[in-house]
Amino acid sequence: MEGMMSAEDMASLQTLTGQDFDTAWATMMIAHHEGAIAQAQTVKASGSNPDVLVLADQIIAAQQAEIDQMTAFLAG
């Protein structure tokens, strides 16, 4: 599934500390959130349940806001 971390990704995080950990974690979480947005966009394109479509919009907005925060963190 798009945006899911592999076992290798998770193992690599366990070897890191400090700023290296923070940077790797934020980078992986951005990809994870982008996957959630892609899934929600698929729901919006193919779904019909009004409640589900509202939820998809909420997921897109929340995940994008968190991506923006993590991107700002990475930018320093």
Side-chain angles (χ1 to χ4, degrees):
M1 188 175 297
E2 184 177 347
M4 295 301 293
M5 301 303 102
S6 68
E8 292 82 18
D9 291 332
M10 298 307 290
S12 74
L13 277 180
Q14 293 177 345
T15 69
L16 303 173
T17 60
Q19 186 65 35
D20 291 336
F21 175 89
D22 296 342
T23 299
W25 177 82
T27 301
M28 289 180 190
M29 287 304 296
I30 289 169
H32 183 72
H33 283 33
E34 288 171 342
I37 289 172
Q39 290 176 38
Q41 289 170 334
T42 298
V43 168
K44 288 177 55 79
S46 301
S48 60
N49 182 309
D51 294 331
V52 172
L53 296 175
V54 168
L55 179 59
D57 283 331
Q58 292 170 343
I59 288 169
I60 291 168
Q63 298 291 291
Q64 186 60 57
E66 290 181 10
I67 288 170
D68 293 346
Q69 284 183 295
M70 289 182 282
T71 300
F73 161 75
L74 291 173

